[in-house]
């Protein structure tokens, strides 16, 4: 069998992205091109992503982004084995733009369409970057999602835990907003945290010590808000200390919840994970990556985190997930509908009250 060559298209949120990736029959991946056009400038005046602006921006630039990805890779549409697009979950206007474009190319080039779940793409990226084998424990931490999953195979994801309220990236973004830091907040909070004292404020560690591997962030976020209100007007040092103390609390919570998740994994699957994999935009955070390195060794496995550019939204992860699905003969019809909501595993690993 020859290598698979797949074009991937990502438009579910605020990055317009396309990439060409190859996959050998043995499962080795190679990124031939990876073009990301961020919409940060379009949304920053509003302090967050505006769905209508996002959809229009995707329409304007997607053709160019795809042309660039194809040119960088030095391939023609007729060379492709398939066209992959994120068909959800995400902002529906943007998803429609990417999926419709993928369908058009699929029809014109007579190559199969592969509809990829955006979360699945984050989940499988570590197989492209680190060749991780199944089954592994995945911590998926982005702006919209915070989940612990057992990744057993392509298309086989069992949810172990999730957040009961805010996603971790969302909490970073909200803390940034309340401290008047620029959007997107995550990287900015990390930058400020490096200048601050993580012990100045004793913020809560919600859910720590609980058996169920779930998360809760809203109490922590509120604690930061109350402290910021109490101190106002904030000095630069106050902002840095608030960020450092908030990030320290998040790090502690993540370490504790991942350990609870590893226990669940072992109980349900009968053996430990081949790796602890971290994916999604928050995995770009250096403090969180360092902490998880220690957690991985505590739970008797290794840590695999894709490089930051492959943790935040990109086309290569969609192309790779498309290649993984294609390698198993999984393709999709051209009348497939985009999905704003699309859980990886609608049924959690155990029923919960
Ligand atoms: O995966 P992603 O690019 O988009 C979604 O699918 O949500 O993740 C974006 C999220 C945002 O909430 C952003 O603030 C957060 O990831 N993020 C970070 C860092 N870089 C991005 N959070 C904390 N520290 C970072 N360095
Ligand atoms: Zn994402």
């Amino acid at each position: 069998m020859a290598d698979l060559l797949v074009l991937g298209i990502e438009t579910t949120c605020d990055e317009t992205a396309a990439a060409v990736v190859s996959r050998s029959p043995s499962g080795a991946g190679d990124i031939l091109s990876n073009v990301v056009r961020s919409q940060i400038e379009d949304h920053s005046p509003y302090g967050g992503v505006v769905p209508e602006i996002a959809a229009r921006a995707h329409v304007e630039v997607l053709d160019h982004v795809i042309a660039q990805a194809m040119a960088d890779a030095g391939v023609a549409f007729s060379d492709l084995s398939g066209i992959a697009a994120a068909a959800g979950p995400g902002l529906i206007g943007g998803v429609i733009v990417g999926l419709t474009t993928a369908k058009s190319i699929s029809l014109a080039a007579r190559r199969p369409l592969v509809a990829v779940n955006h979360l699945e793409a984050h989940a499988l990226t570590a197989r492209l970057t680190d060749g991780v084998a199944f089954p592994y424990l995945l911590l998926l931490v982005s702006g919209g999602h915070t989940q612990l999953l057992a990744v057993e195979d392509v298309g086989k994801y069992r949810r172990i835990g999730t957040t009961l309220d805010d996603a971790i990236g969302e909490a970073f973004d909200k803390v940034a907003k309340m401290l008047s830091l620029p959007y997107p907040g995550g990287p900015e909070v990390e930058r400020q945290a490096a200048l601050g004292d993580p012990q100045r404020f004793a913020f809560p560690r919600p859910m720590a010590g609980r058996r169920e591997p779930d998360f809760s962030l809203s109490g922590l976020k509120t604690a930061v808000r109350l402290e910021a209100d109490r101190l106002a007007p904030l000095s630069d040092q106050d902002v840095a200390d608030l960020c450092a103390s908030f990030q320290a609390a998040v790090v502690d919570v993540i370490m504790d919840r991942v350990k609870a998740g590893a226990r669940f994994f072992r109980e349900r699957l009968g053996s430990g994970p081949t790796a602890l994999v971290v994916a999604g935009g928050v995995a770009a955070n250096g403090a969180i990556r360092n902490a998880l390195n220690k957690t991985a060794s505590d739970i008797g496995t290794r840590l695999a985190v894709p490089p930051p550019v492959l943790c935040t939204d990109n086309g290569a992860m969609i192309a790779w997930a498309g290649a993984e699905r294609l390698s198993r003969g999984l393709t999709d019809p051209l009348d497939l509908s985009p999905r704003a909501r699309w859980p990886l595993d609608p049924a959690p690993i155990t029923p919960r009250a």
Side-chain angles (χ1 to χ4, degrees):
M1 209 170 93
D3 285 6
L4 295 171
L5 193 64
V6 177
L7 167 67
I9 298 171
E10 159 60 35
T11 55
T12 64
C13 191
D14 58 350
E15 331 270 359
T16 313
V20 178
V21 164
S22 71
R23 185 186 186 280
S24 76
S26 66
D30 193 18
I31 300 175
L32 279 68
S33 64
N34 192 21
V35 180
V36 181
R37 196 277 190 189
S38 168
Q39 299 179 0
I40 285 176
E41 280 172 22
D42 304 317
H43 300 290
S44 63
Y46 308 95
V49 179
V50 182
E52 181 61 24
I53 293 176
R56 286 170 190 272
H58 288 307
V59 172
E60 275 169 27
V61 303
L62 183 56
D63 286 357
H64 306 287
V65 168
I66 292 171
Q68 187 69 50
M70 296 297 289
D72 288 357
V75 299
F77 289 127
S78 56
D79 297 326
L80 297 172
S81 318
I83 324 294
L91 301 173
I92 196 68
V95 178
I96 290 170
V97 172
L99 184 59
T100 307
T101 304
K103 286 177 179 178
S104 314
I105 298 171
S106 163
L107 197 62
R110 282 187 247 121
R111 292 292 181 273
L113 173 75
V114 189
V116 167
N117 181 313
H118 176 93
L119 303 176
E120 168 177 50
H122 277 304
L124 296 174
T125 304
R127 287 171 50 75
L128 165 66
T129 56
D130 294 74
V132 176
F134 298 118
Y136 52 89
L137 177 62
L138 172 73
L139 172 66
L140 180 61
V141 275
S142 69
H145 300 271
T146 294
Q147 295 183 358
L148 278 161
L149 294 148
V151 180
E152 295 181 68
D153 202 344
V154 175
K156 196 163 178 213
Y157 314 100
R158 285 210 263 177
R159 199 172 79 196
I160 292 176
T162 188
T163 179
L164 307 179
D165 37 62
D166 292 352
I168 294 180
E170 187 183 357
F172 268 92
D173 293 335
K174 286 180 177 170
V175 163
K177 207 166 183 175
M178 68 178 84
L179 300 177
S180 305
L181 297 172
Y183 159 88
E188 194 58 34
V189 171
E190 180 178 14
R191 221 167 288 131
Q192 290 293 325
L195 309 171
D197 174 4
Q199 280 165 359
R200 176 160 164 208
F201 306 105
F203 290 135
R205 271 62 173 160
M207 311 294 282
R210 298 268 190 100
R211 212 187 91 80
E212 294 75 25
D214 289 323
F215 293 79
S216 168
L217 274 302
S218 75
L220 172 57
K221 180 191 66 190
T222 305
V224 177
R225 187 191 305 279
L226 291 175
E227 198 59 48
D229 288 350
R230 196 180 65 80
L231 290 171
L234 299 174
S235 69
D236 289 351
Q237 196 57 52
D238 290 335
V239 170
D241 293 345
L242 286 165
C243 288
S245 301
F246 163 75
Q247 186 174 275
V250 172
V251 162
D252 283 354
V253 164
I254 290 179
M255 291 173 84
D256 179 81
R257 303 291 70 212
V258 168
K259 283 180 191 166
R263 278 194 293 276
F264 248 63
F265 188 108
R266 246 172 248 281
E267 281 168 22
R268 306 296 146 167
L269 277 78
S271 65
T274 61
L276 167 61
V277 173
V278 191
V282 180
N285 183 292
I288 294 174
R289 294 164 82 105
N290 287 342
L292 285 170
N293 222 339
K294 179 169 181 313
T295 306
S297 89
D298 287 350
I299 61 177
T301 190
R302 71 171 175 122
L303 180 70
V305 196
V309 288
L310 296 177
C311 285
T312 49
D313 292 347
N314 64 87
M317 69 181 194
I318 306 297
W320 172 252
E324 292 254 76
R325 295 187 74 82
L326 262 185
S327 75
R328 280 144 168 94
L330 300 170
T331 62
D332 293 278
L334 287 177
D335 63 355
L336 179 111
S337 299
R339 300 178 65 172
R341 288 178 172 275
W342 187 1
L344 266 187
D345 172 14
I349 206 161
T350 51
R352 256 197 300 279

